Amino acid sequence: MEKILDLISHKMEDAFEKAGFDRSYGRVTVSNRPDLCEYQCNGALAAAKTYRRAPIQIAQAAAEKLDPADFDEVNAIAPGFNNLRVSGLFLQKYLNDMR
């Protein structure tokens, strides 16, 4: 069984790819600011140099490609962070799969 962080990273990697960016920028980590979100992705900051676009534009483009059923909250925050809170449905499915 995959770890929940890996599953969320795969979803973000897919979102980056669907938005036209390299999927490697979609790596997700546990948030170091739990007051703001559960998980975060900083890939848009790194992608900005490669794609010569503002990091917030990249973060927003990736956020728009995420499945809203998987997340209660998805925010693109300046300068280029994606803040995520997974949905209860996503957690329920994950826990059921663990059984």
Side-chain angles (χ1 to χ4, degrees):
M1 172 113 202
E2 274 190 289
K3 294 178 183 177
I4 193 166
L5 190 58
D6 293 335
L7 290 174
I8 297 167
S9 284
H10 292 316
K11 291 181 180 295
M12 184 57 86
E13 289 164 355
D14 291 345
F16 266 80
E17 190 171 62
K18 288 176 187 173
F21 307 107
D22 190 283
R23 66 184 295 108
S24 66
Y25 293 112
R27 188 175 145 263
V28 173
T29 60
V30 174
S31 176
N32 58 3
R33 291 285 312 272
D35 56 316
L36 298 177
C37 61
E38 298 166 338
Y39 301 96
Q40 68 186 45
C41 176
N42 304 336
L45 295 169
K49 185 174 182 179
T50 301
Y51 292 96
R52 298 177 194 262
R53 289 181 62 186
I56 190 65
Q57 291 176 329
I58 295 171
Q60 185 63 44
E64 290 170 359
K65 300 299 181 184
L66 289 168
D67 184 349
D70 292 329
F71 300 94
D72 281 342
E73 198 173 315
V74 176
N75 295 310
I77 305 295
F81 302 106
N82 287 102
N83 291 347
L84 311 166
R85 286 192 195 277
V86 294
S87 70
L89 183 64
F90 177 85
L91 288 175
Q92 182 180 21
K93 183 181 180 328
Y94 182 75
L95 292 173
N96 286 337
D97 290 348
M98 283 179 63
R99 275 191 235 160

